[in-house]
Amino acid sequence: MADKTKLATFAGGCFWCMVGPFEQFEGVLSITSGYTGGSTENPTYEEVCSNKTGHVEAVQIEYNSEKVSYRELLNTFWKQIDPTDHGGQFNDRGESYQTAIFYHDEPQKLEAEQSRKELDKEGPFNKPIVTPIIPAKTFYPAEEYHQDYHKKNQFHYLMYRKGSGREGFIKEYWGE
């Protein structure tokens, strides 16, 4: 990767819901749904959902840092999740649906820590932010049917996003 091409890795619960919000940025080159944070090599969706691998569902974003900043990606990430919930996200419960920011270098770590501190102090939540900021580990792309799920299965995706409670939460805390 060229110096201006970077990676950002975020776990925000169901990875289907974490792709679309980042597509709005001109500098985002690719978004891959997958698994990271655990110890099982090449895990399957079923293995990760068993909550026995240590992995979480995540997205890995390849982006041009001259066109979109890591801070812009962080701000988008925070507005897609409930960062006060350590048991999963919305109706999806268990370790595989926990949130996390996986940093790829020291500047990302510092930026993520600063943004978390600001959100904790100035954000709309009345409970502490529990989303951890941890070093990036091996990222395993999910099965092909999970990639761009929001486009391939739009009706099901929209029903899921609403039914899970995510859409209502985002509107309540962040507006449209």
Side-chain angles (χ1 to χ4, degrees):
M1 277 187 275
D3 281 347
K4 63 185 177 181
T5 303
K6 308 276 186 198
L7 290 176
T9 306
F10 302 118
C14 176
F15 47 35
W16 296 345
C17 297
M18 295 302 294
V19 177
F22 295 102
E23 291 177 328
Q24 67 178 311
F25 297 105
E26 180 185 333
V28 168
L29 307 172
S30 68
I31 306 168
T32 304
S33 296
Y35 317 110
T36 191
S39 55
T40 302
E41 289 186 24
N42 298 307
T44 65
Y45 179 70
E46 289 75 21
E47 289 171 331
V48 172
C49 289
S50 76
N51 293 314
K52 295 177 182 168
T53 65
H55 288 292
V56 291
E57 289 190 15
V59 291
Q60 189 158 81
I61 302 164
E62 186 178 2
Y63 67 101
N64 179 329
S65 61
E66 292 179 352
K67 293 187 176 183
V68 60
S69 70
Y70 186 63
R71 179 53 83 110
E72 288 174 292
L73 299 177
L74 284 167
N75 291 342
T76 298
F77 167 73
W78 290 124
K79 291 181 178 180
Q80 304 308 310
I81 65 167
D82 177 355
T84 69
D85 185 352
H86 60 60
Q89 286 293 285
F90 313 106
N91 287 348
D92 294 319
R93 310 313 300 160
E95 76 175 18
S96 63
Y97 294 110
Q98 292 175 337
T99 63
I101 296 170
F102 294 91
Y103 62 86
H104 292 268
D105 57 26
E106 194 65 17
Q108 279 190 352
K109 176 184 179 185
L110 297 173
E111 189 76 34
E113 288 173 344
Q114 181 63 34
S115 74
R116 181 177 63 187
K117 183 187 295 183
E118 291 168 7
L119 183 65
D120 211 17
K121 182 179 178 192
E122 303 162 12
F125 306 106
N126 58 11
K127 296 186 286 187
I129 306 302
V130 297
T131 298
I133 298 167
I134 50 184
K137 293 181 78 172
T138 303
F139 182 88
Y140 299 97
E143 296 80 355
E144 182 56 36
Y145 71 92
H146 289 299
Q147 305 304 328
D148 292 319
Y149 189 89
H150 67 297
K151 292 177 183 174
K152 294 176 186 173
N153 298 286
Q154 188 175 24
F155 180 75
H156 181 258
Y157 163 74
L158 292 172
M159 296 296 291
Y160 171 82
R161 184 176 166 88
K162 184 173 184 156
S164 71
R166 185 183 297 262
E167 189 173 300
F169 179 89
I170 291 169
K171 285 182 181 173
E172 178 182 343
Y173 283 91
W174 301 106
E176 294 299 325

